[in-house]
Amino acid sequence: MIPFFKTHASIGKSILRIDNVHELTKDFDEVYFIEDSMTGFPEAFRKFGDRLRFGLRFSMYNDDPNEESESKMIAFANGDAGAKELYNLYTQQSNIKISKPWDSTKNLQYVVPFYDSFLHKNLTTFSNCVVDLPSDVPFILEDNNLPFDCLIEDKILSYCNNHGNKCLPAKSIYYETKEDVLAFQTYKLICNRRIGRTYDLSNPGLDHFGSDEFCFESWKTYSDTTLNSVT
């Protein structure tokens, strides 16, 4: 199971700092980030160097830009050329609605996220997201004890079985321990305040966050249990 870290560089999405991730992953050969912006890339590169595997989570749309079809995709940079393409992809978002990024890049590895992908959006909303996905783009599989996780997993497994794409078991990590979930939800509430609506910890109104599983502790428990069962 691959740990995918998100940090404060994705504003409102994580309470981890890049320094926190550095402390947690001293023994890792590779460290994977999935961020919603490129602002944390320079610091992450200084901290991790060749160990860094940096991914950008961005929006994709149908070929018809008038359709309500936004879903999420992830792109990882391969080398210096990939980093340049990732920056270009990031800046393009403000100018165009991206539909087939793999047609114009050569040094990016694309991955379909577990949450907010075209399959997830079509399953849980009235979206009609249509993605002409290459068969070499894998899907992330997660299990964070949310009630719809099994439904999303079924959709992914069915799609992969029919189209030949692979699956990557992974864990999205936004905080260190399960005890940090209240601090995380409080931070999310502060960053997601809306005029005319009142939320608190008893009714946070946060999609995907009714779980304390988005933490490094859960990933490590799974990793240690799997290792012990093998040995």
Side-chain angles (χ1 to χ4, degrees):
M1 179 187 288
I2 303 171
F4 287 134
F5 293 94
K6 192 182 293 289
T7 73
H8 72 294
S10 299
I11 297 174
K13 302 295 181 65
S14 170
I15 59 173
L16 288 174
R17 304 183 68 84
I18 292 175
D19 283 342
N20 301 142
V21 179
H22 189 258
E23 286 296 315
L24 294 171
T25 60
K26 287 182 177 179
D27 298 329
F28 285 34
D29 294 329
E30 297 180 323
V31 182
Y32 288 85
F33 284 75
I34 297 178
E35 302 283 19
D36 291 359
S37 77
M38 295 295 294
T39 57
F41 178 78
E43 182 182 353
F45 185 75
R46 287 194 299 269
K47 288 283 186 182
F48 295 93
D50 292 339
R51 294 197 299 148
L52 178 65
R53 300 293 179 266
F54 194 92
L56 174 69
R57 182 175 175 266
F58 64 96
S59 295
M60 277 188 55
Y61 300 85
N62 292 359
D63 288 335
D64 184 348
N66 295 317
E67 295 181 8
E68 294 295 328
S69 61
E70 182 183 4
S71 64
K72 296 297 183 180
M73 184 66 64
I74 300 164
F76 284 97
N78 293 325
D80 292 343
K84 292 178 181 178
E85 290 185 343
L86 204 59
Y87 268 108
N88 289 336
L89 186 67
Y90 178 58
T91 56
Q92 285 175 14
Q93 292 184 103
S94 60
N95 300 316
I96 63 172
K97 290 188 174 182
I98 299 169
S99 60
K100 296 179 181 178
W102 35 78
D103 286 349
S104 57
T105 58
K106 296 181 179 180
N107 300 284
L108 298 180
Q109 172 61 59
Y110 296 92
V111 182
V112 183
F114 188 73
Y115 301 110
D116 297 325
S117 71
F118 66 100
L119 293 181
H120 179 197
K121 285 297 187 72
N122 290 342
L123 175 68
T124 60
T125 70
F126 293 105
S127 299
N128 182 32
C129 303
V130 180
V131 177
D132 185 13
L133 192 69
S135 60
D136 63 349
V137 176
F139 284 75
I140 292 174
L141 281 181
E142 297 201 39
D143 181 3
N144 295 298
N145 290 341
L146 291 172
F148 50 78
D149 282 355
C150 59
L151 301 178
I152 301 173
E153 180 178 346
D154 286 346
K155 285 291 185 182
I156 291 174
L157 294 177
S158 176
Y159 184 97
C160 291
N161 184 57
N162 291 328
H163 296 84
N165 299 72
K166 295 182 179 179
C167 297
L168 299 173
K171 169 73 73 176
S172 295
I173 298 175
Y174 309 138
Y175 44 96
E176 185 174 348
T177 71
K178 291 189 175 186
E179 291 183 353
D180 294 330
V181 68
L182 289 181
F184 174 64
Q185 290 183 345
T186 301
Y187 175 63
K188 289 282 295 180
L189 287 172
I190 294 171
C191 293
N192 288 275
R193 287 181 296 180
R194 302 173 187 174
I195 297 175
R197 296 188 180 185
T198 301
Y199 295 111
D200 56 34
L201 289 176
S202 64
N203 180 32
L206 300 174
D207 291 340
H208 311 339
F209 293 103
S211 166
D212 60 4
E213 287 292 318
F214 294 91
C215 61
F216 184 77
E217 178 186 351
S218 290
W219 173 83
K220 193 173 187 308
T221 298
Y222 175 88
S223 181
D224 290 345
T225 301
T226 302
L227 180 62
N228 291 335
S229 66
V230 173
T231 56

